[in-house]
Amino acid sequence: MPQLRVGYVQIYTGDGKGKTTAALGLALRASGHGLRTYIGQFMKGQQCGELDALRSHPFITLEQYGDACLIRREEVTPEHIAHAHQGLERARQTLLSGQYDIVVLDEVNVALWFGLLSIAEVLSLLDQRPPHIEVILTGRRAPQELLDRADLVTEMREVKHYHQQGVMARRGIEH
Amino acid sequence: MPQLRVGYVQIYTGDGKGKTTAALGLALRASGHGLRTYIGQFMKGQQCGELDALRSHPFITLEQYGDACLIRREEVTPEHIAHAHQGLERARQTLLSGQYDIVVLDEVNVALWFGLLSIAEVLSLLDQRPPHIEVILTGRRAPQELLDRADLVTEMREVKHYHQQGVMARRGIEH
Protein backbone atom coordinates (compact mmCIF):
# COMPACT_ATOMS: atom_id res chain seq x y z
CA MET A 1 0.00 0.00 0.00
CA PRO A 2 1.53 3.35 -1.01
CA GLN A 3 2.36 5.64 1.84
CA LEU A 4 3.65 9.14 2.25
CA ARG A 5 7.18 9.21 3.62
CA VAL A 6 6.40 12.32 5.62
CA GLY A 7 2.99 13.82 6.22
CA TYR A 8 2.42 17.46 7.05
CA VAL A 9 -0.26 19.59 8.60
CA GLN A 10 -1.93 21.86 6.06
CA ILE A 11 -4.50 24.59 6.62
CA TYR A 12 -6.81 26.10 4.01
CA THR A 13 -8.41 29.19 5.45
CA GLY A 14 -9.67 32.65 4.42
CA ASP A 15 -12.96 34.10 3.24
CA GLY A 16 -12.62 33.05 -0.38
CA LYS A 17 -13.96 30.01 -2.19
CA GLY A 18 -12.06 26.81 -2.68
CA LYS A 19 -11.07 25.57 0.78
CA THR A 20 -13.18 22.41 1.00
CA THR A 21 -12.95 22.19 -2.77
CA ALA A 22 -9.14 22.14 -2.70
CA ALA A 23 -9.22 19.39 -0.06
CA LEU A 24 -11.53 17.37 -2.32
CA GLY A 25 -9.22 17.94 -5.27
CA LEU A 26 -6.22 16.90 -3.21
CA ALA A 27 -7.99 13.68 -2.25
CA LEU A 28 -8.84 13.03 -5.88
CA ARG A 29 -5.28 13.63 -7.08
CA ALA A 30 -3.87 11.49 -4.27
CA SER A 31 -6.21 8.66 -5.21
CA GLY A 32 -4.48 8.62 -8.59
CA HIS A 33 -1.33 7.62 -6.71
CA GLY A 34 -3.13 5.01 -4.65
CA LEU A 35 -3.24 7.14 -1.50
CA ARG A 36 -6.34 6.87 0.70
CA THR A 37 -8.13 9.89 2.12
CA TYR A 38 -10.67 10.23 4.91
CA ILE A 39 -12.73 13.42 4.99
CA GLY A 40 -14.68 14.28 8.13
CA GLN A 41 -16.97 17.28 7.75
CA PHE A 42 -17.84 19.27 10.86
CA MET A 43 -21.05 21.25 10.84
CA LYS A 44 -22.23 19.64 7.63
CA GLY A 45 -25.07 17.20 7.33
CA GLN A 46 -26.81 18.04 4.11
CA GLN A 47 -26.88 16.22 0.84
CA CYS A 48 -24.02 17.74 -1.08
CA GLY A 49 -22.31 17.13 -4.39
CA GLU A 50 -19.14 15.74 -2.84
CA LEU A 51 -21.11 13.17 -0.84
CA ASP A 52 -22.79 11.85 -3.97
CA ALA A 53 -19.59 11.99 -5.98
CA LEU A 54 -17.66 9.94 -3.43
CA ARG A 55 -20.23 7.27 -2.69
CA SER A 56 -18.34 4.00 -3.04
CA HIS A 57 -15.14 5.69 -4.18
CA PRO A 58 -12.38 3.11 -3.66
CA PHE A 59 -9.87 5.56 -2.14
CA ILE A 60 -11.90 8.36 -0.56
CA THR A 61 -14.28 8.14 2.41
CA LEU A 62 -16.45 11.09 3.41
CA GLU A 63 -18.45 11.32 6.63
CA GLN A 64 -20.47 14.20 8.04
CA TYR A 65 -20.53 15.06 11.71
CA GLY A 66 -23.04 17.81 11.94
CA ASP A 67 -26.01 19.88 11.15
CA ALA A 68 -25.81 22.20 8.18
CA CYS A 69 -28.50 24.41 9.67
CA LEU A 70 -26.07 25.77 12.24
CA ILE A 71 -25.17 29.13 10.73
CA ARG A 72 -24.64 31.48 13.68
CA ARG A 73 -22.64 31.13 16.86
CA GLU A 74 -25.66 32.21 18.89
CA GLU A 75 -27.56 29.11 17.76
CA VAL A 76 -25.14 26.57 19.23
CA THR A 77 -26.81 23.93 21.43
CA PRO A 78 -25.28 21.19 23.62
CA GLU A 79 -26.30 18.76 20.89
CA HIS A 80 -24.13 20.55 18.33
CA ILE A 81 -21.23 20.37 20.76
CA ALA A 82 -21.81 16.66 21.34
CA HIS A 83 -21.90 15.95 17.59
CA ALA A 84 -18.67 17.84 17.04
CA HIS A 85 -16.98 15.85 19.80
CA GLN A 86 -18.24 12.56 18.40
CA GLY A 87 -16.83 13.71 15.07
CA LEU A 88 -13.44 14.55 16.53
CA GLU A 89 -13.31 11.17 18.24
CA ARG A 90 -14.18 9.46 14.97
CA ALA A 91 -11.44 11.45 13.22
CA ARG A 92 -8.97 10.41 15.91
CA GLN A 93 -9.81 6.72 15.47
CA THR A 94 -9.40 7.12 11.74
CA LEU A 95 -6.07 8.90 12.11
CA LEU A 96 -4.77 6.07 14.29
CA SER A 97 -6.31 3.25 12.25
CA GLY A 98 -3.56 3.15 9.64
CA GLN A 99 -6.19 2.86 6.92
CA TYR A 100 -5.68 6.32 5.47
CA ASP A 101 -2.75 8.40 4.22
CA ILE A 102 -4.56 11.72 4.38
CA VAL A 103 -7.13 12.89 6.93
CA VAL A 104 -9.16 16.04 6.24
CA LEU A 105 -10.96 17.82 9.08
CA ASP A 106 -13.28 19.90 6.97
CA GLU A 107 -14.60 23.12 8.56
CA VAL A 108 -12.85 22.33 11.84
CA ASN A 109 -11.70 25.95 12.01
CA VAL A 110 -15.31 27.10 12.03
CA ALA A 111 -16.21 24.48 14.64
CA LEU A 112 -13.48 26.02 16.80
CA TRP A 113 -14.71 29.55 16.12
CA PHE A 114 -18.22 28.49 17.15
CA GLY A 115 -16.86 26.94 20.35
CA LEU A 116 -17.99 23.42 19.46
CA LEU A 117 -14.46 22.16 20.13
CA SER A 118 -11.53 23.55 22.06
CA ILE A 119 -8.20 24.36 20.45
CA ALA A 120 -6.48 22.10 23.00
CA GLU A 121 -8.55 19.15 21.77
CA VAL A 122 -7.56 19.69 18.16
CA LEU A 123 -3.89 20.26 19.04
CA SER A 124 -3.96 17.04 21.03
CA LEU A 125 -5.24 15.17 18.00
CA LEU A 126 -2.43 16.68 15.90
CA ASP A 127 0.08 15.56 18.51
CA GLN A 128 -1.17 11.99 18.13
CA ARG A 129 -0.78 12.08 14.35
CA PRO A 130 1.43 9.28 13.00
CA PRO A 131 4.21 11.13 11.16
CA HIS A 132 3.46 9.68 7.72
CA ILE A 133 -0.14 10.90 7.68
CA GLU A 134 -1.06 14.21 6.07
CA VAL A 135 -3.69 16.20 7.98
CA ILE A 136 -5.63 19.00 6.33
CA LEU A 137 -7.69 21.49 8.32
CA THR A 138 -10.12 23.74 6.49
CA GLY A 139 -12.43 26.63 7.25
CA ARG A 140 -12.45 30.35 7.80
CA ARG A 141 -10.89 31.98 10.83
CA ALA A 142 -8.20 29.41 11.62
CA PRO A 143 -6.99 30.25 15.13
CA GLN A 144 -3.40 31.42 15.60
CA GLU A 145 -2.47 28.31 17.62
CA LEU A 146 -3.30 26.10 14.62
CA LEU A 147 -1.53 28.42 12.17
CA ASP A 148 1.55 28.16 14.37
CA ARG A 149 1.28 24.38 14.41
CA ALA A 150 0.78 23.94 10.65
CA ASP A 151 3.53 23.29 8.12
CA LEU A 152 1.62 24.89 5.28
CA VAL A 153 -1.03 27.57 5.40
CA THR A 154 -2.90 28.86 2.38
CA GLU A 155 -5.39 31.69 2.58
CA MET A 156 -8.15 31.73 -0.02
CA ARG A 157 -8.80 35.41 -0.46
CA GLU A 158 -11.97 36.66 -2.12
CA VAL A 159 -10.95 39.23 -4.69
CA LYS A 160 -14.22 39.48 -6.59
CA HIS A 161 -17.41 37.55 -6.02
CA TYR A 162 -20.70 37.28 -7.83
CA HIS A 163 -22.50 37.17 -4.49
CA GLN A 164 -21.87 40.91 -4.69
CA GLN A 165 -24.07 40.79 -7.80
CA GLY A 166 -26.81 38.96 -5.90
CA VAL A 167 -26.11 35.46 -7.21
CA MET A 168 -27.13 32.69 -4.79
CA ALA A 169 -25.05 29.59 -4.10
CA ARG A 170 -25.63 27.16 -6.96
CA ARG A 171 -26.21 23.45 -6.67
CA GLY A 172 -23.34 21.56 -8.28
CA ILE A 173 -20.90 24.46 -7.98
CA GLU A 174 -21.01 25.81 -4.44
CA HIS A 175 -22.50 22.74 -2.73
CA MET B 1 -28.94 15.93 -18.73
CA PRO B 2 -28.49 18.37 -15.81
CA GLN B 3 -27.38 21.83 -16.77
CA LEU B 4 -26.40 24.99 -14.98
CA ARG B 5 -28.97 27.73 -15.46
CA VAL B 6 -26.25 30.32 -15.56
CA GLY B 7 -22.55 29.72 -15.88
CA TYR B 8 -19.91 32.17 -14.70
CA VAL B 9 -16.27 32.86 -15.30
CA GLN B 10 -14.11 32.03 -12.30
CA ILE B 11 -10.41 32.62 -11.76
CA TYR B 12 -8.18 30.90 -9.22
CA THR B 13 -4.89 32.75 -9.02
CA GLY B 14 -2.15 33.70 -6.54
CA ASP B 15 1.11 32.17 -5.40
CA GLY B 16 -0.42 29.74 -2.90
CA LYS B 17 -1.34 26.09 -3.30
CA GLY B 18 -4.75 24.85 -4.28
CA LYS B 19 -5.59 26.45 -7.62
CA THR B 20 -5.60 23.42 -9.89
CA THR B 21 -6.60 21.38 -6.87
CA ALA B 22 -9.69 23.48 -6.25
CA ALA B 23 -10.68 23.12 -9.91
CA LEU B 24 -10.34 19.34 -9.55
CA GLY B 25 -12.44 19.39 -6.40
CA LEU B 26 -15.06 21.50 -8.10
CA ALA B 27 -15.24 19.00 -10.95
CA LEU B 28 -15.58 16.15 -8.47
CA ARG B 29 -18.36 17.85 -6.52
CA ALA B 30 -20.17 18.82 -9.73
CA SER B 31 -20.01 15.20 -10.89
CA GLY B 32 -22.08 14.32 -7.82
CA HIS B 33 -24.83 16.44 -9.34
CA GLY B 34 -24.43 14.89 -12.76
CA LEU B 35 -22.58 17.88 -14.23
CA ARG B 36 -19.83 17.18 -16.74
CA THR B 37 -16.43 18.87 -16.62
CA TYR B 38 -13.69 19.19 -19.20
CA ILE B 39 -10.22 20.10 -17.92
CA GLY B 40 -7.60 21.26 -20.40
CA GLN B 41 -4.15 21.70 -18.90
CA PHE B 42 -1.77 24.15 -20.56
CA MET B 43 1.95 23.61 -20.09
CA LYS B 44 1.43 20.21 -18.52
CA GLY B 45 2.32 16.94 -20.12
CA GLN B 46 3.62 14.79 -17.34
CA GLN B 47 2.08 11.82 -15.62
CA CYS B 48 0.24 13.35 -12.68
CA GLY B 49 -2.10 12.11 -9.97
CA GLU B 50 -5.15 13.79 -11.40
CA LEU B 51 -4.62 12.18 -14.77
CA ASP B 52 -4.54 8.72 -13.24
CA ALA B 53 -7.44 9.47 -10.92
CA LEU B 54 -9.67 10.63 -13.75
CA ARG B 55 -8.92 7.92 -16.27
CA SER B 56 -12.34 6.67 -17.41
CA HIS B 57 -14.20 8.92 -14.97
CA PRO B 58 -17.77 9.09 -16.30
CA PHE B 59 -18.19 12.86 -15.76
CA ILE B 60 -14.71 14.37 -15.93
CA THR B 61 -12.36 14.51 -18.92
CA LEU B 62 -8.79 15.71 -18.57
CA GLU B 63 -6.44 16.49 -21.44
CA GLN B 64 -2.96 17.94 -21.43
CA TYR B 65 -1.77 20.44 -24.01
CA GLY B 66 1.82 20.92 -23.18
CA ASP B 67 5.24 20.19 -21.97
CA ALA B 68 5.85 20.12 -18.24
CA CYS B 69 9.52 20.86 -18.78
CA LEU B 70 8.76 24.45 -19.71
CA ILE B 71 9.61 26.27 -16.50
CA ARG B 72 11.01 29.65 -17.58
CA ARG B 73 9.81 32.26 -20.03
CA GLU B 74 13.22 32.35 -21.65
CA GLU B 75 12.82 28.72 -22.75
CA VAL B 76 9.72 29.24 -24.88
CA THR B 77 10.02 27.83 -28.40
CA PRO B 78 7.67 28.12 -31.41
CA GLU B 79 6.64 24.54 -30.65
CA HIS B 80 5.39 25.50 -27.17
CA ILE B 81 3.40 28.31 -28.74
CA ALA B 82 1.92 25.93 -31.31
CA HIS B 83 0.91 23.41 -28.62
CA ALA B 84 -0.77 26.10 -26.56
CA HIS B 85 -2.73 27.25 -29.60
CA GLN B 86 -3.80 23.72 -30.43
CA GLY B 87 -4.92 23.43 -26.81
CA LEU B 88 -6.92 26.63 -26.94
CA GLU B 89 -8.58 25.48 -30.14
CA ARG B 90 -9.43 22.14 -28.53
CA ALA B 91 -10.88 23.98 -25.52
CA ARG B 92 -12.96 26.15 -27.83
CA GLN B 93 -14.41 23.11 -29.62
CA THR B 94 -15.19 21.57 -26.26
CA LEU B 95 -16.84 24.74 -25.01
CA LEU B 96 -19.07 24.85 -28.08
CA SER B 97 -19.75 21.10 -28.21
CA GLY B 98 -22.52 21.16 -25.62
CA GLN B 99 -21.04 18.05 -24.01
CA TYR B 100 -19.78 19.76 -20.86
CA ASP B 101 -21.24 22.03 -18.17
CA ILE B 102 -17.90 23.22 -16.84
CA VAL B 103 -14.70 23.92 -18.79
CA VAL B 104 -11.44 24.42 -16.89
CA LEU B 105 -8.48 26.08 -18.61
CA ASP B 106 -5.82 24.99 -16.17
CA GLU B 107 -2.67 27.15 -16.00
CA VAL B 108 -3.94 29.37 -18.80
CA ASN B 109 -2.83 32.41 -16.78
CA VAL B 110 0.74 31.14 -16.84
CA ALA B 111 0.48 30.38 -20.56
CA LEU B 112 -0.49 34.04 -21.01
CA TRP B 113 2.35 35.23 -18.78
CA PHE B 114 4.80 33.17 -20.84
CA GLY B 115 3.41 34.68 -24.03
CA LEU B 116 2.22 31.33 -25.41
CA LEU B 117 -1.23 32.83 -26.01
CA SER B 118 -2.49 36.38 -26.32
CA ILE B 119 -5.03 37.87 -23.96
CA ALA B 120 -7.21 38.76 -26.94
CA GLU B 121 -7.41 35.08 -27.91
CA VAL B 122 -8.56 34.03 -24.45
CA LEU B 123 -11.05 36.89 -24.20
CA SER B 124 -12.43 35.89 -27.59
CA LEU B 125 -12.98 32.34 -26.32
CA LEU B 126 -14.80 33.73 -23.27
CA ASP B 127 -16.99 35.82 -25.58
CA GLN B 128 -18.01 32.66 -27.40
CA ARG B 129 -18.98 30.89 -24.17
CA PRO B 130 -22.56 29.62 -24.18
CA PRO B 131 -24.14 31.35 -21.15
CA HIS B 132 -24.94 28.15 -19.23
CA ILE B 133 -21.34 26.92 -19.21
CA GLU B 134 -19.04 27.66 -16.28
CA VAL B 135 -15.47 28.49 -17.25
CA ILE B 136 -12.63 28.30 -14.75
CA LEU B 137 -9.23 29.81 -15.42
CA THR B 138 -6.35 28.90 -13.14
CA GLY B 139 -2.74 29.86 -12.62
CA ARG B 140 -0.53 32.52 -11.09
CA ARG B 141 -0.36 36.04 -12.42
CA ALA B 142 -3.83 36.32 -13.96
CA PRO B 143 -3.72 39.41 -16.16
CA GLN B 144 -5.89 42.40 -15.29
CA GLU B 145 -7.99 42.03 -18.45
CA LEU B 146 -9.10 38.55 -17.32
CA LEU B 147 -9.70 39.68 -13.74
CA ASP B 148 -11.94 42.42 -15.13
CA ARG B 149 -13.82 39.89 -17.24
CA ALA B 150 -14.33 37.31 -14.45
CA ASP B 151 -17.37 37.05 -12.22
CA LEU B 152 -15.46 35.48 -9.39
CA VAL B 153 -11.79 35.77 -8.52
CA THR B 154 -10.10 33.93 -5.67
CA GLU B 155 -6.49 34.48 -4.77
CA MET B 156 -4.69 31.56 -3.12
CA ARG B 157 -2.20 33.31 -0.88
CA GLU B 158 0.76 31.46 0.58
CA VAL B 159 0.87 32.29 4.27
CA LYS B 160 3.34 29.62 5.36
CA HIS B 161 4.95 26.93 3.28
CA TYR B 162 7.15 23.97 4.01
CA HIS B 163 9.16 24.72 0.88
CA GLN B 164 10.67 27.32 3.16
CA GLN B 165 11.84 24.36 5.24
CA GLY B 166 13.40 22.69 2.19
CA VAL B 167 10.65 20.15 1.50
CA MET B 168 10.36 19.15 -2.17
CA ALA B 169 7.07 18.70 -4.02
CA ARG B 170 5.68 15.31 -3.08
CA ARG B 171 4.14 12.77 -5.45
CA GLY B 172 0.49 12.29 -4.56
CA ILE B 173 0.17 15.62 -2.80
CA GLU B 174 1.65 18.33 -5.01
CA HIS B 175 1.46 16.46 -8.33
Side-chain angles (χ1 to χ4, degrees):
Chain A
M1 185 168 158
Q3 234 184 27
L4 291 168
R5 277 202 311 152
V6 186
Y8 290 94
V9 176
Q10 295 195 33
I11 295 180
Y12 291 124
T13 191
D15 290 337
K17 278 171 65 76
K19 299 180 290 291
T20 296
T21 319
L24 286 174
L26 188 141
L28 181 65
R29 174 186 292 134
S31 76
H33 290 293
L35 297 173
R36 288 166 199 278
T37 301
Y38 173 84
I39 304 173
Q41 298 193 311
F42 289 90
M43 307 177 60
K44 289 185 179 171
Q46 80 281 36
Q47 203 55 24
C48 58
E50 55 258 40
L51 197 59
D52 288 337
L54 296 176
R55 208 175 295 286
S56 76
H57 192 287
F59 290 96
I60 310 174
T61 304
L62 187 147
E63 294 183 336
Q64 297 187 319
Y65 303 149
D67 175 354
C69 300
L70 180 59
I71 305 292
R72 291 159 21 131
R73 284 172 92 174
E74 297 71 27
E75 297 165 347
V76 168
T77 65
E79 200 179 3
H80 293 132
I81 293 174
H83 284 161
H85 279 89
Q86 287 159 17
L88 195 69
E89 187 48 37
R90 173 81 182 121
R92 187 192 315 278
Q93 288 164 7
T94 306
L95 192 68
L96 300 176
S97 72
Q99 293 188 291
Y100 296 93
D101 305 287
I102 300 164
V103 172
V104 179
L105 304 184
D106 188 42
E107 303 294 1
V108 70
N109 297 333
V110 183
L112 286 165
W113 170 248
F114 275 43
L116 302 183
L117 302 170
S118 75
I119 291 170
E121 288 170 309
V122 176
L123 288 174
S124 149
L125 180 141
L126 294 179
D127 289 340
Q128 292 179 277
R129 175 178 70 92
H132 61 280
I133 296 184
E134 189 94 0
V135 173
I136 296 168
L137 313 171
T138 82
R140 294 173 186 224
R141 299 177 184 274
Q144 189 60 47
E145 293 90 333
L146 286 191
L147 297 175
D148 291 343
R149 184 67 172 73
D151 300 294
L152 187 146
V153 176
T154 307
E155 179 195 352
M156 274 62 169
R157 200 168 69 85
E158 183 178 304
V159 177
K160 186 175 180 183
H161 201 301
Y162 45 34
H163 288 178
Q164 295 158 3
Q165 304 163 28
V167 177
M168 304 291 284
R170 293 167 299 152
R171 186 176 158 88
I173 300 292
E174 272 84 20
H175 58 89
Chain B
M1 182 171 160
Q3 236 185 28
L4 292 169
R5 277 204 309 151
V6 186
Y8 290 95
V9 176
Q10 295 194 34
I11 294 179
Y12 291 124
T13 192
D15 289 336
K17 276 170 65 76
K19 300 180 291 291
T20 296
T21 321
L24 285 175
L26 189 141
L28 182 66
R29 174 186 292 133
S31 76
H33 290 294
L35 297 173
R36 288 166 200 277
T37 301
Y38 173 84
I39 304 173
Q41 298 192 313
F42 289 90
M43 306 177 60
K44 288 184 180 171
Q46 80 283 35
Q47 204 56 24
C48 59
E50 56 257 40
L51 196 60
D52 287 337
L54 295 176
R55 208 175 296 286
S56 77
H57 192 288
F59 290 97
I60 309 175
T61 304
L62 187 146
E63 293 182 338
Q64 297 187 318
Y65 304 150
D67 175 353
C69 299
L70 179 59
I71 305 291
R72 295 163 12 136
R73 284 173 91 175
E74 296 72 27
E75 298 165 347
V76 168
T77 65
E79 199 178 5
H80 293 131
I81 294 175
H83 285 161
H85 279 89
Q86 287 158 16
L88 195 70
E89 186 49 37
R90 173 82 183 120
R92 187 193 314 277
Q93 289 164 6
T94 306
L95 192 70
L96 299 176
S97 72
Q99 292 187 291
Y100 295 92
D101 304 287
I102 300 165
V103 171
V104 179
L105 304 184
D106 188 42
E107 303 294 2
V108 70
N109 297 333
V110 183
L112 286 165
W113 170 248
F114 274 44
L116 302 184
L117 301 170
S118 75
I119 292 171
E121 288 170 308
V122 175
L123 287 173
S124 149
L125 180 142
L126 294 178
D127 289 340
Q128 291 179 278
R129 174 178 69 95
H132 62 280
I133 296 184
E134 189 93 1
V135 174
I136 298 168
L137 312 171
T138 82
R140 294 173 185 221
R141 301 179 184 268
Q144 190 59 47
E145 293 90 332
L146 285 191
L147 297 174
D148 291 343
R149 183 66 172 72
D151 299 294
L152 188 146
V153 177
T154 307
E155 179 195 352
M156 275 59 168
R157 200 168 70 84
E158 182 177 305
V159 177
K160 187 174 178 182
H161 201 297
Y162 44 33
H163 288 178
Q164 294 158 4
Q165 303 163 28
V167 177
M168 302 292 284
R170 292 168 299 153
R171 186 176 157 88
I173 300 291
E174 273 84 20
H175 59 88

